[in-house]
Structures are given as structure tokens and as C-alpha cells.
Amino acid sequence: MDMTNQFQEYARLLIEVGLNVQKGQDLVIACPVECAWFARLCAAAAYDVGCREVVMNWRDDALNRMKYLRAADEVFDATPAWQAEFLNGYARKGAAYLSVSASDPENLKGVDPDRLVRQQRAGSKALADFHRLQMNNGFPWCVASIPIPSWAVKAFPGCGEAEAMEKLWGAIFEAVRVTGDGQAVSRWREHVDTLQKRVDALNSLNLERLHYTNSLGTDLTIRLPEGHVWSGGDGAAATGQRFVANIPTEEIFTAPLRDGVDGVVYASLPLVHDGNIIKGIRFTFRDGRIVEAQADEGEEQLKAAISLDEGAARLGEVALVPYDSPISNQRLLYYNTLFDENASCHLAFGQAYAECIRGGEKMSKEELLSAGLNDSITHVDFMVGTADLSIVGYTRDGREVPIFVNGNFAL
Ligand code: ZN
Ligand code: ZN
């Protein structure tokens, strides 16, 4: 099957809608080495719209795994200065950042979780500017995916490699609305407008809290900060440049009150985190903090992930995705959070997005904290949506409003 048209349409979509690359702007592409041919298509699309220079940040699963298993132990406590300057420098000058996320979901299985934690702590210190500017929309960024064989065979077990790759390409093209007719850019502008209508409806409610229940056993209350803002579709960088941070995206999200979460929540899908699969997650919250974390598989990795820092055991995002939505209806477990989180209502533990509170992008770290937003070096989405999920909203003027009934928007 010749998919040349789809590949080009997809690359154009990421450059023109995902990042909306401007004339004279630099572009950094982080991409697995297997996908070099696709990075070249994206680079060409960027130069077509006047990009100044495309700079590569190559990734490789095999070398990454080798490093975690075989590198000298002190390596995991530091990030080389040149690497920090590379990412921080481009972030400070507002370069566009494309991350092509494609990995074997179990690439780091068997790696010492302590090495993962230490590396993340060291990285967050060295890359503080990059992470802060990303969470505050200081530069336009976009996360997207293309298949690699080690991932495709996990999403389509029982298929040979070539068949799995073809199936995963098909699923991804459907999820990102690329058909090969050259119209993906205009389909996306429409999609972003549709999401915006839902955002407006939620913002007009001025909610005080949400109450989640379903048959898995979830019974969770999430209070929302005063002045919280629901967001979805596209966002604006500091310069006003519109961009879509995730392609695909189906979610409407905001920030919970960091000490206002109580009850129990059960994850509805497995989570791929740091090269490990974590299954059967359940959390108990008290005053915003996870006081009990369990998993049927990967509990050690889960506990390591929420112990990175104080904010890692608190929520930073609450996101709504209808059970009846395009990616969810594929009924495919992608083993890649970019897709799985857009098939399901989700929450994230760790850092909140500054845009989720009125005026947040201009606030300091301390101001965001005192407004009730969580602060952490991590941000990990996990899926909680089910076909029978109920979410009841309570407004600040005392009204009770059904937000989700039987897994879908009731608004
Ligand atoms: Zn989200
Ligand atoms: Zn998230």
C-alpha cells in the first residue's frame, strides 16, 4: 500500500497545526533513529513554511536500555552541561519543539528503578528552564507518534512485524484524522473549534468540585482551585503563537486543588511509564496526597514514580474524554500514553499546567503554589474513564450539575 500522501499530510499537520512554525523560527525535533525518514519529512515541511534551522535530538531505545544496564553508576546522578544548554538554550529563545514519541513499552523492564529516579531528579535540575517553559507554554511544543516495530507488535500481539506496523499506522492515521486527501489541516482547525465549545461550557459553570464514581470502585472527590480554567484543543505560546501540544488530542483539562482530593480511584487501563507496564493501579487520597498506592503489576515502579518529590504524590491534572470518542471507539490499547490518555478520562500526578489558572502563565512558582496548583518535577497521566463513569459537578453557587453520565458528556 502506498502511503506517501498520508505521510506528507501528517508531517504538514504536525508542522502547521501542531507547532504552527513561524518564519525565522528554529525547530528542534526529538525522534527515534528508526524514524529518521519521517523526521526528514517534518524538516522539509518546516523549511517550506520558512523555518530558520532544524536541529535534531536523536533517541534510541536500544542505546538507552544499554545505558541503564551498563553505564557507570555515577552517570545517573548528573546531566552533562552541554545537553542541558542544548535544550534550555532553544527553549529560552522560543524555538519550536517536536517530540516524536515511539518506544517499546517495556524497553526498561528489569532496570533498577533507583537509576530511573536518580536520572529524572538530575535531569529536572539541569533542565529546569526547559521544563518550566514547557509547562508555562513559553515555547510551542507538540508530541506526536509514529510506529516502530517493537511497539507495534505489543499493540497488535499475534501479528507479524510487518502486519503489526501496517495496523498501527492505520490506527494512528485514523486517530490523527489523516486520510491522504490533503485536508488534515482544515479538519484539525474544525476539531479545535469543537473542543473550544466544550471548554467554554465548562468554564461558564465555575465549578467548586467534581465527584467521580463507577463500578470499578472509584469514589473520588476533586476540588478545583478558585479561578481555575478549563483548556483544550490549542494553546498560545508567550508570543501569541497558537499550537496544539498533543496530536491527537480529545481532552478538556484543568488543574485540581493540590490539597483538595479525597477518596479512591481505580485506573481503567494499564500505564506505560519509563519503559515499564504498570497494571491494576489504585490510589487512595487524603487531603490531596496519595496515602496508599497499589498495582497488580509494576507496583515497585509506581511507588518510585510517586516518590520523586513532594508533588509527585498529588494530582496536577484532571482531564475529560468521552467514552464514545474516536480513539476510544477504536477499542485498542496502544501502550502509549499519548493515545491511551485521549481514549479515556484521565488524571495526572505531578506538575500542573500554569494555563489552568487565570493569569497563571505570568505567575511565579510560589504564586502558582499558593493559588492551589501542584508543583513537581514529574507529570504522569493515568486513565480512569469507563463506560459507566459518572462525574457530578458542584458549582460555587451550590448547584449540582451532571458532567458525565455513563462515560459521556452530559453537558
Ligand atoms: Zn491530559
Ligand atoms: Zn497530562
Side-chain angles (χ1 to χ4, degrees):
M1 192 170 42
D2 180 21
M3 298 199 285
T4 315
N5 289 342
Q6 278 104 314
F7 296 146
Q8 267 164 357
E9 187 178 338
Y10 191 21
R12 251 194 73 204
L13 173 70
L14 300 183
I15 296 303
E16 293 182 25
V17 176
L19 293 164
N20 186 19
V21 172
Q22 301 290 297
K23 225 178 162 70
Q25 187 169 37
D26 287 334
L27 167 65
V28 179
I29 304 179
C31 182
V33 287
E34 292 95 325
C35 310
W37 64 273
F38 186 70
R40 290 180 203 120
L41 285 184
C42 293
Y47 286 126
D48 284 347
V49 295
C51 172
R52 197 182 79 103
E53 186 186 7
V54 176
V55 186
M56 293 308 302
N57 184 16
W58 294 110
R59 292 173 177 161
D60 183 65
D61 263 359
L63 282 167
N64 198 33
R65 178 172 177 80
M66 211 185 289
K67 169 177 145 170
Y68 276 100
L69 292 175
R70 304 186 59 184
D73 196 53
E74 73 264 18
V75 163
F76 302 97
D77 291 316
T79 296
W82 65 266
Q83 210 171 50
E85 185 44 38
F86 171 65
L87 288 171
N88 291 334
Y90 279 108
R92 283 188 216 110
K93 63 188 265 203
Y97 189 84
L98 175 64
S99 173
V100 179
S101 141
S103 227
D104 175 349
E106 294 186 286
N107 188 48
L108 298 181
K109 195 176 179 174
V111 161
D112 179 3
D114 184 54
R115 287 193 161 188
L116 292 167
V117 165
R118 283 158 54 210
Q119 181 78 99
Q120 203 177 340
R121 283 192 183 132
S124 81
K125 222 176 271 172
L127 302 173
D129 276 4
F130 174 80
H131 290 306
R132 179 179 50 81
L133 289 164
Q134 182 173 33
M135 296 307 277
N136 292 2
N137 290 342
F139 58 87
W141 54 280
C142 178
V143 184
S145 276
I146 77 168
I148 57 172
S150 58
W151 169 30
V153 296
K154 288 206 170 125
F156 292 97
C159 291
E161 204 174 277
E163 192 190 348
M165 282 292 282
E166 195 170 315
K167 283 189 164 162
L168 189 52
W169 264 119
I172 289 178
F173 279 147
E174 195 185 326
V176 300
R177 298 170 159 82
V178 165
T179 62
D181 68 356
Q183 299 302 309
V185 167
S186 64
R187 269 191 294 278
W188 266 83
R189 298 213 160 110
E190 239 169 75
H191 176 50
V192 166
D193 285 346
T194 309
L195 289 171
Q196 190 57 45
K197 291 200 178 89
R198 214 157 248 169
V199 165
D200 294 342
L202 275 161
N203 279 328
S204 69
L205 286 175
N206 193 17
L207 291 164
E208 192 269 331
R209 66 183 193 277
L210 300 167
H211 182 215
Y212 286 58
T213 49
N214 68 12
S215 59
L216 284 179
T218 293
D219 184 349
L220 188 74
T221 298
I222 300 176
R223 288 166 59 209
L224 302 175
E226 232 176 301
H228 70 270
V229 178
W230 290 90
S231 190
D234 64 352
T239 53
Q241 181 179 343
R242 310 296 301 183
F243 68 98
V244 178
N246 287 179
I247 288 190
T249 185
E250 300 289 336
E251 67 179 282
I252 311 292
F253 65 98
T254 190
L257 188 65
R258 69 188 294 277
D259 54 8
V261 184
D262 288 276
V264 182
V265 66
Y266 285 72
S268 54
L269 294 175
L271 169 67
V272 175
H273 177 60
D274 248 352
N276 284 278
I277 298 177
I278 307 176
K279 289 184 178 164
I281 297 173
R282 44 214 185 269
F283 289 129
T284 305
F285 286 87
R286 200 173 301 136
D287 298 327
R289 210 166 184 287
I290 297 172
V291 290
E292 213 181 316
Q294 292 166 300
D296 296 332
E297 209 175 287
E299 191 173 290
E300 194 188 359
Q301 281 78 15
L302 182 67
K303 286 187 165 155
I306 61 164
S307 64
L308 267 178
D309 58 13
E310 159 63 24
R314 295 175 184 273
L315 294 186
E317 179 189 337
V318 40
L320 306 177
V321 181
Y323 192 75
D324 182 17
S325 67
I327 304 175
S328 171
N329 285 335
Q330 292 182 331
R331 296 288 175 266
L332 171 67
L333 179 60
Y334 276 87
Y335 290 107
N336 181 316
T337 297
L338 175 63
F339 297 92
D340 294 332
E341 72 170 328
N342 280 302
S344 171
C345 278
H346 57 272
L347 303 168
F349 54 85
Q351 179 72 39
Y353 289 98
E355 69 188 279
C356 293
I357 193 106
R358 223 173 290 132
E361 282 148 316
K362 295 203 171 73
M363 288 184 188
S364 68
K365 204 171 142 127
E366 292 69 29
E367 288 171 322
L368 288 168
L369 255 180
S370 66
L373 266 63
N374 195 31
D375 177 47
S376 171
I377 60 173
T378 194
H379 176 103
V380 180
D381 299 275
F382 60 98
M383 286 59 77
V384 301
T386 54
D388 67 351
L389 179 65
S390 151
I391 306 175
V392 178
Y394 296 85
T395 64
R396 274 169 215 277
D397 55 13
R399 283 177 301 137
E400 186 179 314
V401 188
I403 307 289
F404 261 57
V405 174
N406 285 329
N408 288 306
F409 269 108
L411 292 174

